[in-house]
Amino acid sequence: DDLVFSEILSLKAKILNIGDFHIDVQNLFGGQRDLEYTANDLFNQNWRELYGTLAPTLEQTLELVLKDRFTKIYSFVPANFFINNLP
């Protein structure tokens, strides 16, 4: 009837601030605990550099996941439910 549906054309995600980061990888080196401990220690001491390297990929992945979810939601739920005064 008077329902209006919308479509996500583009979406941009930007991670502005991250407070802390801790990683604990397991079975990375076939169960060699000494190597796993060393890798975890290295990652956790240098997490800002690791994050700086991974940030563009994380943001791109977040954009793809969010666009997929919003597209699915907006294909079933009319935009009138989210936005007032649509034509």
Side-chain angles (χ1 to χ4, degrees):
D1 295 288
D2 290 331
L3 300 178
V4 176
F5 288 84
S6 62
E7 178 182 4
I8 302 294
L9 299 177
S10 66
L11 186 135
K12 180 69 178 162
K14 182 74 175 163
I15 300 171
L16 298 177
N17 188 8
I18 186 166
D20 197 9
F21 184 83
H22 180 79
I23 191 166
D24 183 18
V25 294
Q26 297 178 2
N27 204 23
L28 186 63
F29 299 103
Q32 296 182 31
R33 299 293 295 156
D34 290 341
L35 288 176
E36 290 172 6
Y37 175 80
T38 302
N40 284 324
D41 191 46
L42 179 68
F43 292 152
N44 289 319
Q45 286 184 22
N46 299 290
W47 73 268
R48 290 192 188 278
E49 290 80 8
L50 179 63
Y51 169 74
T53 301
L54 295 177
T57 303
L58 293 172
E59 291 172 347
Q60 183 181 22
T61 302
L62 182 61
E63 290 170 1
L64 291 172
V65 170
L66 288 175
K67 186 172 188 281
D68 177 67
R69 297 303 183 256
F70 284 138
T71 298
K72 289 176 180 173
I73 290 169
Y74 287 170
S75 69
F76 291 104
V77 180
N80 307 64
F81 291 9
F82 299 109
I83 305 168
N84 292 328
N85 304 324
L86 285 176

